[in-house]
Amino acid sequence: MARPILLAVDDDANVLEAVVQDLRREYGATYRIMRAPSGQIGLDTLAQLKARQEPVALLISDQRMPGMTGVEFLEQARELFPEARRVLLTAYADNEAAIRAINAARIHYYLNKPWDPPEEKLYPVLTDLLEDWQAGFQPAFEGLRVIGLRWALKDHRLRSFLSRNHVPYRWLDVASNEEALSLLAERNLDPSHLPVVLFTDGSLLVDPEPEELAARVGLSTRATADFYDIVVVGAGPAGLAAAVYGASEGLRTLVIEPVAPGGQAGSSSRIENYLGFPSGVTGADLGRRAHIQASRFGAEFLTQRAVGLRIDGQYRFVQLADGREVSSHVVLLAPGVQYRKLDLPGAERLTGRGVYYGAALVEAVACKDEDVYVVGGANSAGQAALHFARYARNVTMLLRGPGLSATMSKYLIDEISRTSNIQLQPLTQVLEAFGEERLEGLRLKGPEGEARVPATSLFVFIGAVPGTGWLPESILRDEHGFVLAGPDLRAEGKLPEVWREQREPFLLESSVPGVFVAGDVRHGSIKRVASAVGDGSIAVQFAHQYLAGF
Ligand SMILES: Cc1cc2nc3c(=O)[nH]c(=O)nc-3n(C[C@H](O)[C@H](O)[C@H](O)COP(=O)(O)OP(=O)(O)OC[C@H]3O[C@@H](n4cnc5c(N)ncnc54)[C@H](O)[C@@H]3O)c2cc1C
């Protein structure tokens, strides 16, 4: 495969030469370095690369150029290579314009000239951006092939699992791809028994369980030890923060996660309000970075689901979906929340066949040129609408209330109003989803009465419920299932019945000593990435205090 391309654009020949030399020195072995002396020539070059299906990883352009500014170039280049990382080179005096451009042109970074020494001022930034790009890059025809049916829940789950674990794959839909049918025929496989995963070594799996697939793609499904200091259930922001702090402070740390590191944030298209990421960060990137960080400190990750918790004296046993158990002194519960389901005719039957819960980012490309509906008016729905608007012809947001201002952050409302293919439909509810094999339409009730509209995709964001049904009764919860911890146990008047210790429960400690809780699943938690990260890190401090008692 051709090496991915880094393209530098500048009208000043000396500066352009300097950029190209610096890029070549650091990245020449892995990437092809190209140059263009103006924005227009840069766009022409990109159009040719696009026609030849060559991958472009990074665009770095000077701001001040005659004819076309750097921002204008990067904005137009985004249409051709939306995934390429975009960097603007500016003089110090242009910083204001550069900051505005972060929003308008979706620039990932701006760098001040000169950038000497590049080891300090250029390479760390570019390497970071290129790692992000690599994580989402799927080289053509290499890696796994998944043969499935777009309108099948199993297929959707399998593709989501692979995407969220950054496993490159190519998807072949039997309904629209002849190659898919011939690949099945060559192997004497039944086209009604899908999905099928074809590996590069010629082996295959038919309709695999996540654990089976996880093991084949190199994810770990079995713990390497019987006993840990701390077992963390869930690798969302809360669990990942606990893993980073726990492992970096010397605790033997095991993290159990059935889907992929990143949690709900991993399915969110872009988190724009998390500290330190001025141009936003996708949840998947945040999850990937935290996973690498925790692993570097020695945390172990298992692709497994926790299905039970057993307490035996000072030992806590987390039971796994494959029947095994892992033991520890401390357990941190961070399983987050799951999306609330639509309770209306047709919704359950059509789940995964056009009705999706959460951002289901893996479906976005499949929605190209279609009309998409999003139910909900909170931030998560707004982010999803903006994401789908990049692919779909039209995105309609169905809102129960009169508008977005009471439920959504202002930066999202502004961006939605600037996006011409997103429409708001206030005071509207879905009454029914209909279709035989897949979603074909919706019955809606709005201010003008009832109407049936054709629809192929409906993405639902109507709140969430905690994933705590598998916990024993001794872990006390509120009436909605959120886990009570620390002072909330006493405030709810539950403590005297269950607590046998001489001390008060630590902050974030549940009704069972040594079992802590962090993130969205905790009663009274703030449903934000930063709060979940805060909870996860604080919980580790109390885990140390608890362990000091042994
Ligand atoms: C679409 C969307 C957009 C959002 N945008 C923003 C935003 O822009 N800014 C912001 O601050 N917040 C945002 N949020 C909220 C934010 O994502 C959550 O507050 C945060 O992810 C909570 O982190 P958590 O670790 O508590 O739980 P989660 O992120 O829910 O992670 C829990 C993890 O536990 C795993 N798990 C569940 N059950 C089990 C089990 N039995 N065994 C093992 N593992 C299990 C799950 O697979 C999951 O990976 C958004 C949420 C959504 C849905």
Side-chain angles (χ1 to χ4, degrees), residues 33 48 96-98 153 191 233 248 267 279 293 363 383 427 429 439 445 449 454 462 487-488 523 531 541 550:
I33 316 300
Q48 288 166 16
E96 280 295 312
L153 183 57
V233 178
S248 68
S267 70
S279 52
Q293 196 175 11
E363 297 301 330
Q383 288 175 349
L427 302 169
Q429 276 175 276
L439 181 69
K445 185 170 173 217
I462 51 166
D488 287 333
H523 166 86
S531 337
Q541 295 314 306
F550 287 98

Side-chain angles (χ1 to χ4, degrees), residues 286-300:
L286 195 64
R288 179 179 55 79
R289 284 159 181 257
H291 179 211
I292 295 171
Q293 196 175 11
S295 306
R296 226 189 68 215
F297 287 125
E300 189 180 326

Side-chain angles (χ1 to χ4, degrees), residues 234 236-238 257-258 263-264 268 273 306 335 339 380 383 519-520 527-529:
E257 165 62 53
Q264 278 181 76
S268 150
N273 53 6
Y339 299 102
S380 48
Q383 288 175 349
D520 279 9
K527 310 291 184 282
R528 284 278 184 272
V529 172

Side-chain angles (χ1 to χ4, degrees), residues 106-118:
R106 286 263 161 223
I107 283 164
H108 294 98
Y109 217 91
Y110 70 89
L111 283 168
N112 282 136
K113 293 187 290 188
W115 55 85
D116 281 329

Side-chain angles (χ1 to χ4, degrees), residues 35-58:
R35 68 178 82 202
S38 72
Q40 190 51 56
I41 297 179
L43 289 177
D44 294 344
T45 308
L46 289 178
Q48 288 166 16
L49 292 171
K50 177 120 187 142
R52 296 205 298 266
Q53 297 189 338
E54 294 202 40
V56 175
L58 179 96

Side-chain angles (χ1 to χ4, degrees), residues 236-242 245 264-265 271 273-275 286 332-334 336 507-508 517-540:
L240 286 166
Y245 283 96
Q264 278 181 76
I271 300 157
N273 53 6
Y274 187 53
L275 187 72
L286 195 64
L332 176 69
L333 301 172
L507 192 75
L508 305 184
V517 56
D520 279 9
V521 74
R522 182 172 63 78
H523 166 86
S525 60
I526 309 291
K527 310 291 184 282
R528 284 278 184 272
V529 172
S531 337
V533 167
D535 265 13
S537 356
I538 295 168
V540 170

Side-chain angles (χ1 to χ4, degrees), residues 24-228:
R24 194 161 282 154
R25 192 146 49 85
E26 184 70 9
Y27 304 111
T30 322
Y31 295 90
R32 188 146 66 99
I33 316 300
M34 295 184 71
R35 68 178 82 202
S38 72
Q40 190 51 56
I41 297 179
L43 289 177
D44 294 344
T45 308
L46 289 178
Q48 288 166 16
L49 292 171
K50 177 120 187 142
R52 296 205 298 266
Q53 297 189 338
E54 294 202 40
V56 175
L58 179 96
L59 303 164
I60 179 163
S61 172
D62 198 357
Q63 163 64 355
R64 289 202 185 190
M65 296 188 291
M68 185 183 289
T69 65
V71 169
E72 286 164 351
F73 163 71
L74 292 172
E75 216 166 359
Q76 293 183 44
R78 186 170 159 230
E79 312 260 308
L80 292 163
F81 287 96
E83 301 306 329
R85 304 293 117 156
R86 294 175 289 280
V87 177
L88 190 68
L89 282 177
T90 60
Y92 187 70
D94 290 333
N95 279 0
E96 280 295 312
I99 290 171
R100 280 200 303 277
I102 285 182
N103 281 331
R106 286 263 161 223
I107 283 164
H108 294 98
Y109 217 91
Y110 70 89
L111 283 168
N112 282 136
K113 293 187 290 188
W115 55 85
D116 281 329
E119 286 72 16
E120 262 175 43
K121 295 190 177 158
L122 185 71
Y123 298 150
V125 170
L126 297 192
T127 301
D128 207 28
L129 291 173
L130 288 169
E131 278 174 9
D132 277 355
W133 178 84
Q134 279 286 358
F137 175 53
Q138 297 183 1
F141 307 111
E142 286 177 14
L144 308 187
R145 279 172 297 180
V146 176
I147 302 177
L149 192 58
R150 175 176 167 196
W151 305 110
L153 183 57
K154 283 176 181 173
D155 183 86
H156 166 70
R157 285 204 178 126
L158 191 143
R159 286 184 287 123
S160 295
F161 179 84
L162 290 174
S163 303
R164 299 226 8 223
N165 282 291
H166 307 284
V167 179
Y169 69 91
R170 187 169 156 234
W171 173 48
L172 305 169
D173 185 355
V174 279
S176 58
N177 190 313
E178 285 181 12
E179 188 189 346
L181 285 172
S182 52
L183 284 169
L184 293 175
E186 281 164 22
R187 290 162 180 76
N188 287 326
L189 292 169
D190 178 357
S192 65
H193 199 181
L194 298 172
V196 170
V197 184
L198 304 179
F199 296 91
T200 44
D201 63 1
S203 61
L204 58 89
L205 288 175
V206 178
D207 189 14
E209 291 297 321
E211 289 79 16
E212 197 182 2
L213 185 60
R216 282 299 311 269
V217 297
L219 300 169
S220 174
T221 53
R222 274 201 207 182
T224 57
D226 293 332
F227 183 79
Y228 293 82

